[in-house]
mmCIF file of all heavy atoms in Angstrom:
data_model
loop_
_atom_site.group_PDB
_atom_site.id
_atom_site.type_symbol
_atom_site.label_atom_id
_atom_site.label_comp_id
_atom_site.label_asym_id
_atom_site.label_seq_id
_atom_site.Cartn_x
_atom_site.Cartn_y
_atom_site.Cartn_z
ATOM 1 N N GLU Y 595 2.649 -8.483 -11.045
ATOM 2 C CA GLU Y 595 1.691 -9.222 -11.810
ATOM 3 C C GLU Y 595 2.252 -10.562 -12.376
ATOM 4 O O GLU Y 595 1.531 -11.555 -12.427
ATOM 5 C CB GLU Y 595 1.158 -8.316 -13.020
ATOM 6 C CG GLU Y 595 0.304 -7.171 -12.531
ATOM 7 C CD GLU Y 595 -0.057 -6.234 -13.680
ATOM 8 O OE1 GLU Y 595 0.534 -6.372 -14.778
ATOM 9 O OE2 GLU Y 595 -0.905 -5.295 -13.407
ATOM 10 N N ALA Y 596 3.477 -10.546 -12.772
ATOM 11 C CA ALA Y 596 4.091 -11.762 -13.262
ATOM 12 C C ALA Y 596 4.259 -12.775 -12.161
ATOM 13 O O ALA Y 596 3.962 -14.013 -12.429
ATOM 14 C CB ALA Y 596 5.497 -11.456 -13.850
ATOM 15 N N ALA Y 597 4.623 -12.331 -10.998
ATOM 16 C CA ALA Y 597 4.790 -13.277 -9.855
ATOM 17 C C ALA Y 597 3.471 -13.859 -9.454
ATOM 18 O O ALA Y 597 3.382 -15.072 -9.166
ATOM 19 C CB ALA Y 597 5.466 -12.544 -8.703
ATOM 20 N N LEU Y 598 2.394 -13.055 -9.414
ATOM 21 C CA LEU Y 598 1.104 -13.576 -8.940
ATOM 22 C C LEU Y 598 0.388 -14.419 -9.987
ATOM 23 O O LEU Y 598 -0.483 -15.174 -9.630
ATOM 24 C CB LEU Y 598 0.231 -12.343 -8.596
ATOM 25 C CG LEU Y 598 0.560 -11.600 -7.311
ATOM 26 C CD1 LEU Y 598 -0.291 -10.437 -7.064
ATOM 27 C CD2 LEU Y 598 0.430 -12.578 -6.102
ATOM 28 N N HIS Y 599 0.806 -14.309 -11.208
ATOM 29 C CA HIS Y 599 0.222 -15.187 -12.227
ATOM 30 C C HIS Y 599 0.385 -16.667 -11.824
ATOM 31 O O HIS Y 599 -0.618 -17.427 -11.976
ATOM 32 C CB HIS Y 599 0.819 -14.915 -13.604
ATOM 33 C CG HIS Y 599 0.245 -15.776 -14.702
ATOM 34 N ND1 HIS Y 599 -1.050 -15.591 -15.180
ATOM 35 C CD2 HIS Y 599 0.739 -16.872 -15.380
ATOM 36 C CE1 HIS Y 599 -1.298 -16.499 -16.124
ATOM 37 N NE2 HIS Y 599 -0.208 -17.299 -16.234
ATOM 38 N N GLN Y 600 1.488 -17.037 -11.333
ATOM 39 C CA GLN Y 600 1.678 -18.426 -10.888
ATOM 40 C C GLN Y 600 1.249 -18.622 -9.454
ATOM 41 O O GLN Y 600 0.574 -19.661 -9.087
ATOM 42 C CB GLN Y 600 3.179 -18.772 -11.018
ATOM 43 C CG GLN Y 600 3.498 -20.215 -10.552
ATOM 44 C CD GLN Y 600 4.905 -20.468 -10.212
ATOM 45 O OE1 GLN Y 600 5.543 -19.633 -9.564
ATOM 46 N NE2 GLN Y 600 5.466 -21.526 -10.724
ATOM 47 N N LYS Y 601 1.551 -17.701 -8.601
ATOM 48 C CA LYS Y 601 1.305 -17.897 -7.127
ATOM 49 C C LYS Y 601 -0.154 -17.932 -6.872
ATOM 50 O O LYS Y 601 -0.601 -18.715 -5.953
ATOM 51 C CB LYS Y 601 1.999 -16.774 -6.360
ATOM 52 C CG LYS Y 601 3.530 -16.953 -6.263
ATOM 53 C CD LYS Y 601 4.185 -15.838 -5.591
ATOM 54 C CE LYS Y 601 5.646 -16.245 -5.459
ATOM 55 N NZ LYS Y 601 6.306 -16.557 -6.692
ATOM 56 N N ASN Y 602 -0.975 -17.199 -7.523
ATOM 57 C CA ASN Y 602 -2.454 -17.261 -7.337
ATOM 58 C C ASN Y 602 -2.981 -18.654 -7.676
ATOM 59 O O ASN Y 602 -3.928 -19.103 -7.090
ATOM 60 C CB ASN Y 602 -3.165 -16.141 -8.045
ATOM 61 C CG ASN Y 602 -3.204 -14.849 -7.197
ATOM 62 O OD1 ASN Y 602 -3.085 -14.882 -6.037
ATOM 63 N ND2 ASN Y 602 -3.348 -13.704 -7.860
ATOM 64 N N GLN Y 603 -2.444 -19.203 -8.746
ATOM 65 C CA GLN Y 603 -2.825 -20.533 -9.120
ATOM 66 C C GLN Y 603 -2.564 -21.567 -7.980
ATOM 67 O O GLN Y 603 -3.390 -22.399 -7.667
ATOM 68 C CB GLN Y 603 -2.074 -20.991 -10.366
ATOM 69 C CG GLN Y 603 -2.285 -20.191 -11.631
ATOM 70 C CD GLN Y 603 -3.643 -20.389 -12.266
ATOM 71 O OE1 GLN Y 603 -4.191 -21.480 -12.181
ATOM 72 N NE2 GLN Y 603 -4.235 -19.330 -12.765
ATOM 73 N N ILE Y 604 -1.409 -21.391 -7.355
ATOM 74 C CA ILE Y 604 -1.044 -22.264 -6.235
ATOM 75 C C ILE Y 604 -1.941 -22.077 -5.047
ATOM 76 O O ILE Y 604 -2.478 -22.997 -4.449
ATOM 77 C CB ILE Y 604 0.482 -22.080 -5.882
ATOM 78 C CG1 ILE Y 604 1.354 -22.520 -7.050
ATOM 79 C CG2 ILE Y 604 0.842 -22.789 -4.614
ATOM 80 C CD1 ILE Y 604 2.802 -22.129 -6.862
ATOM 81 N N LEU Y 605 -2.104 -20.775 -4.647
ATOM 82 C CA LEU Y 605 -2.916 -20.456 -3.499
ATOM 83 C C LEU Y 605 -4.373 -20.884 -3.632
ATOM 84 O O LEU Y 605 -4.957 -21.455 -2.695
ATOM 85 C CB LEU Y 605 -2.852 -18.925 -3.200
ATOM 86 C CG LEU Y 605 -1.561 -18.407 -2.603
ATOM 87 C CD1 LEU Y 605 -1.506 -16.861 -2.685
ATOM 88 C CD2 LEU Y 605 -1.470 -18.888 -1.179
ATOM 89 N N VAL Y 606 -4.966 -20.699 -4.809
ATOM 90 C CA VAL Y 606 -6.381 -20.946 -5.009
ATOM 91 C C VAL Y 606 -6.570 -22.451 -5.266
ATOM 92 O O VAL Y 606 -7.447 -23.104 -4.620
ATOM 93 C CB VAL Y 606 -6.925 -20.133 -6.191
ATOM 94 C CG1 VAL Y 606 -8.367 -20.531 -6.506
ATOM 95 C CG2 VAL Y 606 -6.895 -18.601 -5.860
ATOM 96 N N LYS Y 607 -5.879 -22.989 -6.235
ATOM 97 C CA LYS Y 607 -6.142 -24.369 -6.703
ATOM 98 C C LYS Y 607 -5.535 -25.422 -5.840
ATOM 99 O O LYS Y 607 -6.048 -26.567 -5.696
ATOM 100 C CB LYS Y 607 -5.736 -24.518 -8.103
ATOM 101 C CG LYS Y 607 -6.510 -23.662 -9.084
ATOM 102 C CD LYS Y 607 -6.101 -23.832 -10.535
ATOM 103 C CE LYS Y 607 -6.915 -22.959 -11.444
ATOM 104 N NZ LYS Y 607 -6.517 -23.090 -12.886
ATOM 105 N N LEU Y 608 -4.392 -25.161 -5.196
ATOM 106 C CA LEU Y 608 -3.735 -26.162 -4.446
ATOM 107 C C LEU Y 608 -4.069 -26.047 -2.896
ATOM 108 O O LEU Y 608 -4.358 -27.039 -2.282
ATOM 109 C CB LEU Y 608 -2.179 -26.054 -4.608
ATOM 110 C CG LEU Y 608 -1.344 -27.140 -3.877
ATOM 111 C CD1 LEU Y 608 -1.727 -28.498 -4.359
ATOM 112 C CD2 LEU Y 608 0.149 -26.840 -4.164
ATOM 113 N N TYR Y 609 -4.101 -24.812 -2.426
ATOM 114 C CA TYR Y 609 -4.285 -24.606 -1.026
ATOM 115 C C TYR Y 609 -5.665 -24.040 -0.620
ATOM 116 O O TYR Y 609 -5.933 -23.787 0.534
ATOM 117 C CB TYR Y 609 -3.203 -23.674 -0.440
ATOM 118 C CG TYR Y 609 -1.798 -24.295 -0.515
ATOM 119 C CD1 TYR Y 609 -0.765 -23.724 -1.244
ATOM 120 C CD2 TYR Y 609 -1.501 -25.551 0.094
ATOM 121 C CE1 TYR Y 609 0.450 -24.290 -1.308
ATOM 122 C CE2 TYR Y 609 -0.247 -26.084 0.029
ATOM 123 C CZ TYR Y 609 0.749 -25.445 -0.641
ATOM 124 O OH TYR Y 609 1.968 -26.001 -0.745
ATOM 125 N N ASN Y 610 -6.532 -23.818 -1.636
ATOM 126 C CA ASN Y 610 -7.879 -23.353 -1.369
ATOM 127 C C ASN Y 610 -7.863 -22.021 -0.610
ATOM 128 O O ASN Y 610 -8.679 -21.844 0.272
ATOM 129 C CB ASN Y 610 -8.705 -24.429 -0.645
ATOM 130 C CG ASN Y 610 -10.189 -24.138 -0.666
ATOM 131 O OD1 ASN Y 610 -10.742 -23.574 -1.648
ATOM 132 N ND2 ASN Y 610 -10.920 -24.569 0.379
ATOM 133 N N ARG Y 611 -7.021 -21.095 -1.044
ATOM 134 C CA ARG Y 611 -6.959 -19.789 -0.450
ATOM 135 C C ARG Y 611 -7.383 -18.764 -1.435
ATOM 136 O O ARG Y 611 -7.453 -19.029 -2.632
ATOM 137 C CB ARG Y 611 -5.489 -19.515 0.055
ATOM 138 C CG ARG Y 611 -4.994 -20.386 1.171
ATOM 139 C CD ARG Y 611 -5.853 -20.218 2.453
ATOM 140 N NE ARG Y 611 -5.262 -20.912 3.612
ATOM 141 C CZ ARG Y 611 -5.482 -22.136 3.946
ATOM 142 N NH1 ARG Y 611 -6.351 -22.861 3.203
ATOM 143 N NH2 ARG Y 611 -4.968 -22.675 5.007
ATOM 144 N N ARG Y 612 -7.661 -17.582 -0.975
ATOM 145 C CA ARG Y 612 -8.066 -16.445 -1.862
ATOM 146 C C ARG Y 612 -6.907 -16.000 -2.739
ATOM 147 O O ARG Y 612 -5.788 -16.010 -2.250
ATOM 148 C CB ARG Y 612 -8.586 -15.279 -1.081
ATOM 149 C CG ARG Y 612 -9.956 -15.513 -0.403
ATOM 150 C CD ARG Y 612 -10.349 -14.250 0.308
ATOM 151 N NE ARG Y 612 -11.570 -14.425 1.077
ATOM 152 C CZ ARG Y 612 -11.952 -13.602 2.039
ATOM 153 N NH1 ARG Y 612 -11.231 -12.569 2.375
ATOM 154 N NH2 ARG Y 612 -13.133 -13.848 2.648
ATOM 155 N N ALA Y 613 -7.244 -15.550 -3.973
ATOM 156 C CA ALA Y 613 -6.195 -14.993 -4.836
ATOM 157 C C ALA Y 613 -5.784 -13.651 -4.262
ATOM 158 O O ALA Y 613 -6.533 -12.936 -3.607
ATOM 159 C CB ALA Y 613 -6.799 -14.830 -6.268
ATOM 160 N N VAL Y 614 -4.520 -13.332 -4.510
ATOM 161 C CA VAL Y 614 -3.960 -12.038 -4.008
ATOM 162 C C VAL Y 614 -4.112 -11.006 -5.133
ATOM 163 O O VAL Y 614 -3.878 -11.212 -6.247
ATOM 164 C CB VAL Y 614 -2.479 -12.213 -3.695
ATOM 165 C CG1 VAL Y 614 -1.855 -10.897 -3.276
ATOM 166 C CG2 VAL Y 614 -2.259 -13.307 -2.587
ATOM 167 N N ASP Y 615 -4.592 -9.856 -4.689
ATOM 168 C CA ASP Y 615 -4.858 -8.753 -5.662
ATOM 169 C C ASP Y 615 -3.545 -7.994 -5.936
ATOM 170 O O ASP Y 615 -2.877 -7.477 -5.009
ATOM 171 C CB ASP Y 615 -5.893 -7.777 -5.065
ATOM 172 C CG ASP Y 615 -6.188 -6.665 -5.967
ATOM 173 O OD1 ASP Y 615 -6.679 -6.880 -7.099
ATOM 174 O OD2 ASP Y 615 -5.900 -5.487 -5.594
ATOM 175 N N ALA Y 616 -3.208 -7.891 -7.229
ATOM 176 C CA ALA Y 616 -1.900 -7.254 -7.623
ATOM 177 C C ALA Y 616 -1.900 -5.761 -7.205
ATOM 178 O O ALA Y 616 -0.872 -5.257 -6.792
ATOM 179 C CB ALA Y 616 -1.723 -7.416 -9.110
ATOM 180 N N ASP Y 617 -3.023 -5.078 -7.345
ATOM 181 C CA ASP Y 617 -3.087 -3.658 -6.981
ATOM 182 C C ASP Y 617 -2.844 -3.408 -5.548
ATOM 183 O O ASP Y 617 -2.133 -2.482 -5.096
ATOM 184 C CB ASP Y 617 -4.455 -3.114 -7.372
ATOM 185 C CG ASP Y 617 -4.644 -2.892 -8.881
ATOM 186 O OD1 ASP Y 617 -3.580 -2.852 -9.626
ATOM 187 O OD2 ASP Y 617 -5.808 -2.881 -9.318
ATOM 188 N N ALA Y 618 -3.350 -4.321 -4.713
ATOM 189 C CA ALA Y 618 -3.168 -4.254 -3.199
ATOM 190 C C ALA Y 618 -1.663 -4.401 -2.919
ATOM 191 O O ALA Y 618 -1.148 -3.654 -2.008
ATOM 192 C CB ALA Y 618 -3.997 -5.255 -2.539
ATOM 193 N N ILE Y 619 -1.009 -5.330 -3.564
ATOM 194 C CA ILE Y 619 0.443 -5.548 -3.313
ATOM 195 C C ILE Y 619 1.251 -4.291 -3.741
ATOM 196 O O ILE Y 619 2.161 -3.815 -3.099
ATOM 197 C CB ILE Y 619 0.921 -6.793 -4.003
ATOM 198 C CG1 ILE Y 619 0.200 -8.084 -3.455
ATOM 199 C CG2 ILE Y 619 2.447 -6.964 -3.830
ATOM 200 C CD1 ILE Y 619 0.396 -8.314 -2.025
ATOM 201 N N PHE Y 620 0.930 -3.809 -4.946
ATOM 202 C CA PHE Y 620 1.571 -2.586 -5.475
ATOM 203 C C PHE Y 620 1.416 -1.415 -4.432
ATOM 204 O O PHE Y 620 2.380 -0.733 -4.168
ATOM 205 C CB PHE Y 620 1.012 -2.209 -6.820
ATOM 206 C CG PHE Y 620 1.572 -0.962 -7.399
ATOM 207 C CD1 PHE Y 620 2.796 -0.942 -8.027
ATOM 208 C CD2 PHE Y 620 0.911 0.273 -7.313
ATOM 209 C CE1 PHE Y 620 3.337 0.246 -8.555
ATOM 210 C CE2 PHE Y 620 1.366 1.453 -7.782
ATOM 211 C CZ PHE Y 620 2.607 1.396 -8.423
ATOM 212 N N ASP Y 621 0.208 -1.198 -3.950
ATOM 213 C CA ASP Y 621 -0.043 -0.124 -3.054
ATOM 214 C C ASP Y 621 0.704 -0.311 -1.754
ATOM 215 O O ASP Y 621 1.141 0.654 -1.096
ATOM 216 C CB ASP Y 621 -1.560 0.013 -2.814
ATOM 217 C CG ASP Y 621 -2.341 0.471 -3.981
ATOM 218 O OD1 ASP Y 621 -1.722 1.048 -4.942
ATOM 219 O OD2 ASP Y 621 -3.606 0.288 -4.032
ATOM 220 N N TYR Y 622 0.813 -1.622 -1.329
ATOM 221 C CA TYR Y 622 1.542 -1.915 -0.095
ATOM 222 C C TYR Y 622 2.996 -1.417 -0.244
ATOM 223 O O TYR Y 622 3.513 -0.746 0.655
ATOM 224 C CB TYR Y 622 1.475 -3.457 0.120
ATOM 225 C CG TYR Y 622 2.531 -3.958 1.146
ATOM 226 C CD1 TYR Y 622 2.254 -3.923 2.507
ATOM 227 C CD2 TYR Y 622 3.738 -4.484 0.746
ATOM 228 C CE1 TYR Y 622 3.116 -4.377 3.484
ATOM 229 C CE2 TYR Y 622 4.638 -4.949 1.647
ATOM 230 C CZ TYR Y 622 4.386 -4.854 3.039
ATOM 231 O OH TYR Y 622 5.262 -5.342 3.935
ATOM 232 N N PHE Y 623 3.676 -1.797 -1.337
ATOM 233 C CA PHE Y 623 5.022 -1.380 -1.434
ATOM 234 C C PHE Y 623 5.220 0.132 -1.626
ATOM 235 O O PHE Y 623 6.098 0.733 -1.077
ATOM 236 C CB PHE Y 623 5.724 -2.074 -2.651
ATOM 237 C CG PHE Y 623 6.006 -3.535 -2.353
ATOM 238 C CD1 PHE Y 623 5.487 -4.585 -2.984
ATOM 239 C CD2 PHE Y 623 6.992 -3.840 -1.418
ATOM 240 C CE1 PHE Y 623 5.779 -5.926 -2.734
ATOM 241 C CE2 PHE Y 623 7.382 -5.119 -1.094
ATOM 242 C CZ PHE Y 623 6.737 -6.161 -1.805
ATOM 243 N N MET Y 624 4.335 0.701 -2.424
ATOM 244 C CA MET Y 624 4.495 2.172 -2.680
ATOM 245 C C MET Y 624 4.218 2.979 -1.455
ATOM 246 O O MET Y 624 4.677 4.119 -1.334
ATOM 247 C CB MET Y 624 3.582 2.575 -3.835
ATOM 248 C CG MET Y 624 3.952 1.984 -5.213
ATOM 249 S SD MET Y 624 5.744 2.212 -5.609
ATOM 250 C CE MET Y 624 5.900 3.973 -5.606
ATOM 251 N N SER Y 625 3.478 2.421 -0.499
ATOM 252 C CA SER Y 625 3.188 3.174 0.774
ATOM 253 C C SER Y 625 4.454 3.420 1.561
ATOM 254 O O SER Y 625 4.512 4.280 2.419
ATOM 255 C CB SER Y 625 2.157 2.434 1.608
ATOM 256 O OG SER Y 625 2.734 1.245 2.143
ATOM 257 N N TYR Y 626 5.507 2.651 1.280
ATOM 258 C CA TYR Y 626 6.778 2.786 2.019
ATOM 259 C C TYR Y 626 7.810 3.504 1.139
ATOM 260 O O TYR Y 626 8.920 3.808 1.670
ATOM 261 C CB TYR Y 626 7.319 1.447 2.405
ATOM 262 C CG TYR Y 626 6.456 0.684 3.400
ATOM 263 C CD1 TYR Y 626 5.684 -0.361 2.953
ATOM 264 C CD2 TYR Y 626 6.368 1.047 4.734
ATOM 265 C CE1 TYR Y 626 4.858 -1.087 3.867
ATOM 266 C CE2 TYR Y 626 5.532 0.396 5.587
ATOM 267 C CZ TYR Y 626 4.803 -0.709 5.179
ATOM 268 O OH TYR Y 626 3.995 -1.356 6.050
ATOM 269 N N ALA Y 627 7.528 3.858 -0.099
ATOM 270 C CA ALA Y 627 8.531 4.309 -1.042
ATOM 271 C C ALA Y 627 9.211 5.577 -0.574
ATOM 272 O O ALA Y 627 10.451 5.673 -0.594
ATOM 273 C CB ALA Y 627 7.905 4.459 -2.422
ATOM 274 N N ASP Y 628 8.452 6.584 -0.226
ATOM 275 C CA ASP Y 628 9.071 7.836 0.167
ATOM 276 C C ASP Y 628 9.954 7.724 1.355
ATOM 277 O O ASP Y 628 11.026 8.437 1.400
ATOM 278 C CB ASP Y 628 7.921 8.855 0.435
ATOM 279 C CG ASP Y 628 7.185 9.267 -0.824
ATOM 280 O OD1 ASP Y 628 7.693 9.060 -1.932
ATOM 281 O OD2 ASP Y 628 6.056 9.798 -0.675
ATOM 282 N N ARG Y 629 9.591 6.945 2.299
ATOM 283 C CA ARG Y 629 10.407 6.748 3.519
ATOM 284 C C ARG Y 629 11.661 5.918 3.218
ATOM 285 O O ARG Y 629 12.720 6.147 3.820
ATOM 286 C CB ARG Y 629 9.624 6.131 4.637
ATOM 287 C CG ARG Y 629 10.265 6.267 5.971
ATOM 288 C CD ARG Y 629 9.365 5.794 7.109
ATOM 289 N NE ARG Y 629 10.016 5.844 8.387
ATOM 290 C CZ ARG Y 629 9.559 5.356 9.508
ATOM 291 N NH1 ARG Y 629 8.395 4.773 9.532
ATOM 292 N NH2 ARG Y 629 10.276 5.475 10.636
ATOM 293 N N LEU Y 630 11.557 4.986 2.293
ATOM 294 C CA LEU Y 630 12.652 4.043 1.975
ATOM 295 C C LEU Y 630 13.724 4.731 1.114
ATOM 296 O O LEU Y 630 14.915 4.479 1.344
ATOM 297 C CB LEU Y 630 12.093 2.803 1.283
ATOM 298 C CG LEU Y 630 13.090 1.756 0.873
ATOM 299 C CD1 LEU Y 630 13.719 1.124 2.145
ATOM 300 C CD2 LEU Y 630 12.422 0.701 0.046
ATOM 301 N N LYS Y 631 13.285 5.543 0.158
ATOM 302 C CA LYS Y 631 14.279 6.075 -0.868
ATOM 303 C C LYS Y 631 15.556 6.660 -0.310
ATOM 304 O O LYS Y 631 16.639 6.435 -0.798
ATOM 305 C CB LYS Y 631 13.521 6.996 -1.851
ATOM 306 C CG LYS Y 631 12.605 6.311 -2.837
ATOM 307 C CD LYS Y 631 11.940 7.286 -3.717
ATOM 308 C CE LYS Y 631 11.016 6.559 -4.706
ATOM 309 N NZ LYS Y 631 10.204 7.450 -5.524
ATOM 310 N N PRO Y 632 15.455 7.542 0.739
ATOM 311 C CA PRO Y 632 16.696 8.126 1.198
ATOM 312 C C PRO Y 632 17.674 7.155 1.791
ATOM 313 O O PRO Y 632 18.898 7.486 1.961
ATOM 314 C CB PRO Y 632 16.166 9.135 2.298
ATOM 315 C CG PRO Y 632 14.701 9.301 2.009
ATOM 316 C CD PRO Y 632 14.261 8.042 1.429
ATOM 317 N N MET Y 633 17.247 5.966 2.127
ATOM 318 C CA MET Y 633 18.112 5.001 2.783
ATOM 319 C C MET Y 633 18.892 4.143 1.746
ATOM 320 O O MET Y 633 19.880 3.498 2.075
ATOM 321 C CB MET Y 633 17.269 3.994 3.638
ATOM 322 C CG MET Y 633 16.504 4.619 4.713
ATOM 323 S SD MET Y 633 15.524 3.335 5.611
ATOM 324 C CE MET Y 633 14.678 4.305 6.824
ATOM 325 N N VAL Y 634 18.459 4.092 0.494
ATOM 326 C CA VAL Y 634 18.898 3.124 -0.492
ATOM 327 C C VAL Y 634 20.237 3.616 -1.076
ATOM 328 O O VAL Y 634 20.405 4.731 -1.514
ATOM 329 C CB VAL Y 634 17.878 2.930 -1.594
ATOM 330 C CG1 VAL Y 634 18.362 1.967 -2.624
ATOM 331 C CG2 VAL Y 634 16.567 2.457 -0.952
#
């Protein structure tokens, strides 16, 4: 959420792109969590 606070401003206002949804990014990372943990 902290990272996207600034980045969404850049994507939307500077580059005319859609804002990125924080929940979608969170779900993206957590979808790999179980498989990643044994490697860390």
Side-chain angles (χ1 to χ4, degrees):
E595 289 174 351
L598 286 176
H599 181 70
Q600 180 199 46
K601 287 178 174 53
N602 275 336
Q603 298 288 325
I604 295 170
L605 284 167
V606 174
K607 296 181 178 178
L608 184 60
Y609 295 121
N610 196 30
R611 296 297 188 272
R612 289 181 185 163
V614 177
D615 181 62
D617 289 337
I619 299 297
F620 176 81
D621 292 343
Y622 165 83
F623 282 116
M624 294 310 299
S625 70
Y626 297 106
D628 290 342
R629 194 173 178 189
L630 180 65
K631 283 178 181 178
M633 302 178 180
V634 180

